[in-house]
Amino acid sequence: MQVIEVADPAAAADLAADLIDEYSPRVLGVATGATPSPLYRVLVDRHRLAADTTVCLLDEYIGLPVGHGQRYRQIIARQLATPLGLTVVAPDVDALDLSAACGSYETALADLGGVDLQILGIGRNGHIGFNEPGTSFDSVTHVVELTSTTRADNARFFDGAASVPRHAITQGIATIRRAKRIVLIAVGDAKASAVAAMIEGSISPANPASALRDHADVVLVADREALTQRTTHRHTHSGAA
Ligand code: F6R
């Protein structure tokens, strides 16, 4: 895992956008949440993604009405896909048979030739996507019950924790690891412990993000605050690529 330290969240967004520009992904995997929003603003401003880029959701809540502003499909449409005219591919969380919908999403990703570059954030508990601690590294797209930590963390996007959906569909850890390149962004001291565990802790399902350590092409773009609990040497990125 390549670790690149940047000064702040804005620098993280710029550097992640540089990495995407360099790679020119045809299939771009996208996380939602607070962390990648500045990156999507930079990508829209630069307008350099090819018009035939497909964006694939990492995960999606179950149970929100179609068009709800916190559906990840809506967020990605608003922040990235609609301004750039890109196609969005997402798991069908409205299907009656959710397990079949998970299988269909795996097929859809495979039919696209797989994800070229996956953007990830990380949860305070080390989750990637909605793969909570304890998730098998062999997992593929599946239905999850969200932990109370994750629902509490995401309450800020809703009218309190009670409004946060209890379930979601997420790409599994094996699905995420199939991406050819992964760029994980971590900013802020709330992520410092999860980041240290990811890069230095034991590789184990108790720590989902540790599954990325033996991927061939992972870049962690982290600000200083997110790296405060790391004990190994630092590689500081000085500015624009
Ligand atoms: C979002 C996702 C989650 C978030 C993580 C961090 O699609 O899958 O893993 O990346 O919960 O969220 P923020 O960026 O809001 O701190």
Side-chain angles (χ1 to χ4, degrees):
M1 181 180 290
Q2 188 190 354
V3 181
I4 304 180
E5 180 177 330
V6 293
D8 54 31
D14 282 337
L15 180 57
D18 292 343
L19 295 171
I20 293 170
D21 279 349
E22 266 169 33
Y23 206 73
S24 302
R26 211 180 47 79
V27 180
L28 177 66
V30 288
T32 44
T35 308
S37 296
L39 164 64
Y40 301 147
R41 275 198 293 279
V42 175
L43 290 177
V44 168
D45 287 348
R46 291 187 184 181
H47 217 291
R48 267 186 235 145
L49 283 175
D52 63 352
T53 306
T54 302
V55 294
C56 298
L57 295 196
L58 176 61
D59 42 20
E60 177 63 286
Y61 290 122
I62 295 170
L64 293 179
V66 174
H68 188 287
Q70 286 305 319
R71 268 176 84 122
Y72 287 171
R73 188 181 194 120
Q74 289 291 119
I75 292 173
I76 289 300
R78 206 163 58 229
Q79 296 186 345
L80 183 68
T82 303
L84 294 178
L86 309 179
T87 306
V88 180
V89 174
D92 180 6
V93 287
D94 304 310
L96 287 179
D97 185 342
L98 290 170
S99 157
C102 292
S104 302
Y105 194 54
E106 286 286 325
T107 306
L109 294 175
D111 287 349
L112 285 165
V115 170
D116 294 316
L117 189 151
Q118 177 67 51
I119 301 296
L120 292 179
I122 185 170
R124 282 190 303 138
N125 62 3
H127 74 206
I128 48 172
F130 279 133
N131 295 289
E132 304 286 15
T135 307
S136 163
F137 286 180
D138 294 330
S139 54
V140 294
T141 300
H142 61 291
V143 174
V144 287
E145 183 171 356
L146 301 177
T147 60
S148 50
T149 316
T150 297
R151 292 183 67 236
D153 281 349
N154 289 0
R156 66 198 196 278
F157 300 116
F158 291 84
D159 303 327
S163 311
V164 181
R166 294 182 177 277
H167 295 91
I169 287 181
T170 184
Q171 288 189 26
I173 292 179
T175 318
I176 293 170
R177 280 163 44 98
R178 279 202 294 270
K180 296 170 193 92
R181 166 172 261 206
I182 295 173
V183 175
L184 190 149
I185 307 170
V187 295
D189 57 5
K191 302 295 173 67
S193 149
V195 165
M198 169 175 67
I199 59 184
E200 300 175 344
S202 58
I203 297 182
S204 127
N207 180 14
S210 68
L212 304 176
R213 284 241 290 283
D214 56 6
H215 186 284
D217 189 355
V218 182
V219 184
L220 165 64
V221 179
D223 71 354
R224 288 193 187 114
E225 292 186 359
L227 286 170
T228 47
Q229 292 191 33
R230 178 170 73 145
T231 56
T232 47
H233 91 282
R234 295 169 173 227
H235 163 191
T236 303
H237 186 264
S238 52

